[in-house]
Amino acid sequence: MAGSGASQHNLRKAIGVLKDTTTVGFVKVNSDYKELDVAIVKATNHVEQLPKEKHIRTILESVSASRPRADVAYCINSLAKRLAKTHNWAVALKTLMVIHRALREVDASFRGELVKYSRSGHILNLSHFKDDSSPDGEGSRQLEEGGKGWPRCGKWLAGGRQWPGGRRPERAGGEAAEVLGGNR
């Protein structure tokens, strides 16, 4: 029954959106970091579209050098929890994209805090990730391939700029390599 698979997929999408809406309402009432928590949920929601730039900007501003280190640590912890708890390829990919943008655009203090946080656990460890957003596992394959329907993803990751020389970097270096698990 092809129709049943499509309706099940639509139901899973609707549940994801409902979870995001519920989470936003919950953090508006119970969080000391309301604006940041709402931005994280909205930037990494279940909708299969690029996140809005205003939510990304809120997150990037919260991890800048001008903010207290406790605020930066809170943001990193929130992103790590979002990544660890999700079973949806779009949420996982968006969370990784937000972290990547912060590594590229925020000063070195953010990288330092991320390295410090990653030493206490595995912030970017997706070895146990299992996509439950589609009945046939299509989402896991989409995550591995960079996401179906994300043609501007590379440009977005580069912060609206194209990669130098038109090619993306092959290997990470320095502190970023430590966070990402080293050069391979």
Side-chain angles (χ1 to χ4, degrees), residues 11-48:
L11 178 62
R12 289 174 195 238
K13 280 184 174 183
I15 289 171
V17 171
L18 182 62
K19 284 169 57 178
D20 291 336
T21 305
T22 303
T23 303
V24 166
F26 182 74
V27 300
K28 282 182 177 179
V29 173
N30 295 322
S31 176
D32 293 333
Y33 295 90
K34 290 176 178 55
E35 185 180 352
L36 175 60
D37 284 331
V38 168
I40 288 172
V41 172
K42 287 187 175 188
T44 62
N45 63 21
H46 290 75
V47 178
E48 296 174 9

Short mmCIF file of all heavy atoms in Angstrom, two decimals, residues 11-48:
data_model
loop_
_atom_site.label_atom_id
_atom_site.label_comp_id
_atom_site.label_asym_id
_atom_site.label_seq_id
_atom_site.Cartn_x
_atom_site.Cartn_y
_atom_site.Cartn_z
N LEU A 11 2.24 11.97 8.72
CA LEU A 11 1.95 11.96 10.15
C LEU A 11 3.23 12.21 10.95
O LEU A 11 3.23 12.99 11.90
CB LEU A 11 1.31 10.63 10.56
CG LEU A 11 0.98 10.47 12.04
CD1 LEU A 11 -0.02 11.53 12.48
CD2 LEU A 11 0.46 9.08 12.32
N ARG A 12 4.32 11.58 10.55
CA ARG A 12 5.60 11.79 11.24
C ARG A 12 6.06 13.24 11.13
O ARG A 12 6.59 13.81 12.08
CB ARG A 12 6.67 10.86 10.68
CG ARG A 12 6.45 9.42 11.06
CD ARG A 12 7.45 8.53 10.35
NE ARG A 12 7.04 7.15 10.42
CZ ARG A 12 7.76 6.19 10.95
NH1 ARG A 12 8.95 6.46 11.45
NH2 ARG A 12 7.32 4.96 10.97
N LYS A 13 5.87 13.85 9.95
CA LYS A 13 6.22 15.26 9.78
C LYS A 13 5.37 16.14 10.69
O LYS A 13 5.88 17.05 11.35
CB LYS A 13 6.01 15.70 8.32
CG LYS A 13 7.11 15.32 7.39
CD LYS A 13 6.82 15.90 6.01
CE LYS A 13 7.95 15.68 5.06
NZ LYS A 13 7.71 16.30 3.76
N ALA A 14 4.09 15.86 10.76
CA ALA A 14 3.18 16.64 11.60
C ALA A 14 3.56 16.50 13.08
O ALA A 14 3.54 17.48 13.83
CB ALA A 14 1.73 16.21 11.37
N ILE A 15 3.94 15.30 13.50
CA ILE A 15 4.35 15.08 14.88
C ILE A 15 5.62 15.87 15.18
O ILE A 15 5.75 16.47 16.24
CB ILE A 15 4.53 13.57 15.17
CG1 ILE A 15 3.16 12.88 15.19
CG2 ILE A 15 5.28 13.34 16.48
CD1 ILE A 15 3.22 11.37 15.25
N GLY A 16 6.56 15.89 14.22
CA GLY A 16 7.78 16.67 14.40
C GLY A 16 7.50 18.15 14.57
O GLY A 16 8.06 18.80 15.46
N VAL A 17 6.61 18.69 13.75
CA VAL A 17 6.25 20.10 13.86
C VAL A 17 5.55 20.37 15.19
O VAL A 17 5.82 21.38 15.86
CB VAL A 17 5.36 20.52 12.66
CG1 VAL A 17 4.78 21.91 12.86
CG2 VAL A 17 6.16 20.45 11.36
N LEU A 18 4.68 19.46 15.60
CA LEU A 18 3.99 19.60 16.89
C LEU A 18 5.00 19.58 18.05
O LEU A 18 4.90 20.37 18.98
CB LEU A 18 2.95 18.49 17.06
CG LEU A 18 2.13 18.53 18.34
CD1 LEU A 18 1.31 19.81 18.41
CD2 LEU A 18 1.21 17.31 18.41
N LYS A 19 6.00 18.70 17.97
CA LYS A 19 7.03 18.65 19.01
C LYS A 19 7.79 19.97 19.09
O LYS A 19 8.07 20.48 20.17
CB LYS A 19 8.01 17.50 18.74
CG LYS A 19 7.44 16.13 19.07
CD LYS A 19 8.27 14.98 18.56
CE LYS A 19 9.69 14.98 19.02
NZ LYS A 19 10.45 13.80 18.54
N ASP A 20 8.13 20.52 17.93
CA ASP A 20 8.84 21.81 17.90
C ASP A 20 7.98 22.91 18.53
O ASP A 20 8.47 23.70 19.33
CB ASP A 20 9.21 22.21 16.47
CG ASP A 20 10.29 21.33 15.87
OD1 ASP A 20 11.07 20.73 16.65
OD2 ASP A 20 10.36 21.24 14.64
N THR A 21 6.71 22.97 18.16
CA THR A 21 5.81 23.99 18.69
C THR A 21 5.65 23.85 20.20
O THR A 21 5.69 24.84 20.93
CB THR A 21 4.43 23.87 18.00
OG1 THR A 21 4.61 23.95 16.59
CG2 THR A 21 3.49 24.96 18.46
N THR A 22 5.53 22.63 20.67
CA THR A 22 5.41 22.38 22.11
C THR A 22 6.68 22.80 22.83
O THR A 22 6.62 23.42 23.90
CB THR A 22 5.12 20.88 22.36
OG1 THR A 22 3.94 20.52 21.66
CG2 THR A 22 4.95 20.59 23.83
N THR A 23 7.82 22.47 22.26
CA THR A 23 9.10 22.83 22.88
C THR A 23 9.25 24.34 22.96
O THR A 23 9.70 24.87 23.98
CB THR A 23 10.27 22.22 22.09
OG1 THR A 23 10.09 20.80 22.04
CG2 THR A 23 11.60 22.54 22.73
N VAL A 24 8.88 25.06 21.91
CA VAL A 24 8.96 26.52 21.92
C VAL A 24 8.08 27.08 23.03
O VAL A 24 8.50 27.95 23.80
CB VAL A 24 8.57 27.12 20.55
CG1 VAL A 24 8.34 28.62 20.65
CG2 VAL A 24 9.64 26.82 19.52
N GLY A 25 6.87 26.58 23.15
CA GLY A 25 5.98 27.04 24.21
C GLY A 25 6.53 26.75 25.59
O GLY A 25 6.46 27.58 26.50
N PHE A 26 7.12 25.57 25.76
CA PHE A 26 7.68 25.18 27.04
C PHE A 26 8.85 26.07 27.44
O PHE A 26 8.92 26.53 28.57
CB PHE A 26 8.13 23.71 26.96
CG PHE A 26 8.69 23.18 28.25
CD1 PHE A 26 7.86 22.90 29.32
CD2 PHE A 26 10.05 22.98 28.38
CE1 PHE A 26 8.38 22.41 30.51
CE2 PHE A 26 10.58 22.50 29.56
CZ PHE A 26 9.75 22.21 30.64
N VAL A 27 9.78 26.34 26.50
CA VAL A 27 10.94 27.17 26.86
C VAL A 27 10.56 28.62 27.10
O VAL A 27 11.22 29.31 27.89
CB VAL A 27 12.10 27.06 25.84
CG1 VAL A 27 12.59 25.65 25.72
CG2 VAL A 27 11.73 27.64 24.50
N LYS A 28 9.51 29.09 26.46
CA LYS A 28 9.06 30.46 26.72
C LYS A 28 8.59 30.64 28.16
O LYS A 28 8.68 31.72 28.72
CB LYS A 28 7.92 30.85 25.76
CG LYS A 28 8.39 31.19 24.37
CD LYS A 28 7.23 31.61 23.49
CE LYS A 28 7.71 32.03 22.12
NZ LYS A 28 6.58 32.43 21.26
N VAL A 29 8.12 29.56 28.77
CA VAL A 29 7.63 29.61 30.14
C VAL A 29 8.72 29.25 31.15
O VAL A 29 8.81 29.85 32.21
CB VAL A 29 6.42 28.65 30.30
CG1 VAL A 29 5.98 28.55 31.74
CG2 VAL A 29 5.27 29.10 29.42
N ASN A 30 9.56 28.27 30.83
CA ASN A 30 10.44 27.68 31.83
C ASN A 30 11.93 27.93 31.65
O ASN A 30 12.72 27.32 32.36
CB ASN A 30 10.22 26.16 31.86
CG ASN A 30 8.85 25.80 32.34
OD1 ASN A 30 8.32 26.44 33.24
ND2 ASN A 30 8.26 24.79 31.74
N SER A 31 12.36 28.76 30.75
CA SER A 31 13.79 28.90 30.50
C SER A 31 14.32 30.26 30.94
O SER A 31 13.63 31.27 30.81
CB SER A 31 14.07 28.72 29.00
OG SER A 31 15.43 28.95 28.73
N ASP A 32 15.54 30.25 31.44
CA ASP A 32 16.22 31.51 31.74
C ASP A 32 16.79 32.13 30.48
O ASP A 32 17.15 33.31 30.46
CB ASP A 32 17.35 31.27 32.75
CG ASP A 32 16.82 30.84 34.10
OD1 ASP A 32 15.67 31.21 34.44
OD2 ASP A 32 17.56 30.15 34.83
N TYR A 33 16.92 31.34 29.43
CA TYR A 33 17.48 31.78 28.15
C TYR A 33 16.40 31.65 27.06
O TYR A 33 16.61 31.00 26.04
CB TYR A 33 18.68 30.92 27.77
CG TYR A 33 19.86 31.05 28.70
CD1 TYR A 33 20.01 30.23 29.81
CD2 TYR A 33 20.85 32.00 28.46
CE1 TYR A 33 21.10 30.34 30.65
CE2 TYR A 33 21.95 32.12 29.30
CZ TYR A 33 22.06 31.29 30.40
OH TYR A 33 23.14 31.40 31.23
N LYS A 34 15.26 32.27 27.29
CA LYS A 34 14.11 32.11 26.40
C LYS A 34 14.44 32.38 24.94
O LYS A 34 14.16 31.55 24.07
CB LYS A 34 12.97 33.04 26.84
CG LYS A 34 12.31 32.66 28.13
CD LYS A 34 11.28 33.71 28.52
CE LYS A 34 10.53 33.42 29.77
NZ LYS A 34 11.27 33.18 30.97
N GLU A 35 15.00 33.55 24.66
CA GLU A 35 15.26 33.93 23.27
C GLU A 35 16.21 32.95 22.60
O GLU A 35 15.98 32.54 21.45
CB GLU A 35 15.85 35.35 23.23
CG GLU A 35 16.04 35.88 21.83
CD GLU A 35 16.63 37.29 21.81
OE1 GLU A 35 16.75 37.92 22.87
OE2 GLU A 35 16.97 37.74 20.71
N LEU A 36 17.27 32.54 23.29
CA LEU A 36 18.23 31.60 22.73
C LEU A 36 17.60 30.23 22.51
O LEU A 36 17.76 29.62 21.45
CB LEU A 36 19.46 31.48 23.63
CG LEU A 36 20.49 30.42 23.22
CD1 LEU A 36 21.04 30.71 21.83
CD2 LEU A 36 21.61 30.36 24.25
N ASP A 37 16.87 29.73 23.49
CA ASP A 37 16.25 28.41 23.36
C ASP A 37 15.24 28.38 22.22
O ASP A 37 15.18 27.41 21.46
CB ASP A 37 15.58 28.00 24.67
CG ASP A 37 16.57 27.55 25.72
OD1 ASP A 37 17.65 27.03 25.34
OD2 ASP A 37 16.29 27.71 26.92
N VAL A 38 14.46 29.43 22.07
CA VAL A 38 13.50 29.49 20.97
C VAL A 38 14.26 29.52 19.63
O VAL A 38 13.88 28.81 18.69
CB VAL A 38 12.57 30.73 21.10
CG1 VAL A 38 11.78 30.97 19.84
CG2 VAL A 38 11.64 30.56 22.30
N ALA A 39 15.33 30.29 19.56
CA ALA A 39 16.12 30.36 18.32
C ALA A 39 16.71 29.01 17.97
O ALA A 39 16.73 28.61 16.79
CB ALA A 39 17.22 31.41 18.45
N ILE A 40 17.20 28.27 18.96
CA ILE A 40 17.78 26.94 18.71
C ILE A 40 16.72 26.00 18.17
O ILE A 40 16.94 25.29 17.17
CB ILE A 40 18.46 26.38 19.97
CG1 ILE A 40 19.75 27.16 20.26
CG2 ILE A 40 18.76 24.89 19.82
CD1 ILE A 40 20.40 26.82 21.58
N VAL A 41 15.56 25.97 18.79
CA VAL A 41 14.49 25.07 18.33
C VAL A 41 14.03 25.47 16.93
O VAL A 41 13.86 24.61 16.06
CB VAL A 41 13.30 25.06 19.31
CG1 VAL A 41 12.12 24.29 18.74
CG2 VAL A 41 13.73 24.45 20.64
N LYS A 42 13.87 26.75 16.68
CA LYS A 42 13.39 27.19 15.37
C LYS A 42 14.45 27.02 14.28
O LYS A 42 14.11 26.73 13.14
CB LYS A 42 12.91 28.64 15.44
CG LYS A 42 11.58 28.76 16.17
CD LYS A 42 11.02 30.15 16.10
CE LYS A 42 9.64 30.20 16.74
NZ LYS A 42 9.00 31.50 16.53
N ALA A 43 15.71 27.19 14.62
CA ALA A 43 16.78 27.02 13.63
C ALA A 43 17.02 25.55 13.30
O ALA A 43 17.50 25.23 12.21
CB ALA A 43 18.08 27.65 14.14
N THR A 44 16.67 24.68 14.23
CA THR A 44 16.91 23.24 14.03
C THR A 44 15.62 22.45 14.03
O THR A 44 15.58 21.31 14.48
CB THR A 44 17.86 22.70 15.12
OG1 THR A 44 17.24 22.86 16.40
CG2 THR A 44 19.19 23.41 15.11
N ASN A 45 14.57 23.04 13.49
CA ASN A 45 13.26 22.39 13.53
C ASN A 45 13.16 21.22 12.54
O ASN A 45 14.09 20.95 11.79
CB ASN A 45 12.13 23.40 13.30
CG ASN A 45 12.20 24.06 11.95
OD1 ASN A 45 12.80 23.56 11.01
ND2 ASN A 45 11.59 25.22 11.84
N HIS A 46 12.04 20.54 12.53
CA HIS A 46 11.82 19.36 11.72
C HIS A 46 11.47 19.68 10.26
O HIS A 46 11.39 18.77 9.45
CB HIS A 46 10.71 18.50 12.33
CG HIS A 46 11.10 17.82 13.59
ND1 HIS A 46 11.19 18.49 14.80
CD2 HIS A 46 11.41 16.53 13.85
CE1 HIS A 46 11.55 17.63 15.73
NE2 HIS A 46 11.68 16.45 15.19
N VAL A 47 11.23 20.93 9.94
CA VAL A 47 10.84 21.32 8.59
C VAL A 47 12.04 21.17 7.66
O VAL A 47 13.14 21.62 7.97
CB VAL A 47 10.31 22.77 8.58
CG1 VAL A 47 9.93 23.20 7.17
CG2 VAL A 47 9.13 22.90 9.51
N GLU A 48 11.83 20.55 6.52
CA GLU A 48 12.91 20.26 5.58
C GLU A 48 13.21 21.46 4.69
O GLU A 48 13.10 21.41 3.47
CB GLU A 48 12.57 19.02 4.76
CG GLU A 48 12.47 17.78 5.62
CD GLU A 48 11.99 16.55 4.88
OE1 GLU A 48 11.90 16.59 3.63
OE2 GLU A 48 11.69 15.55 5.54
#
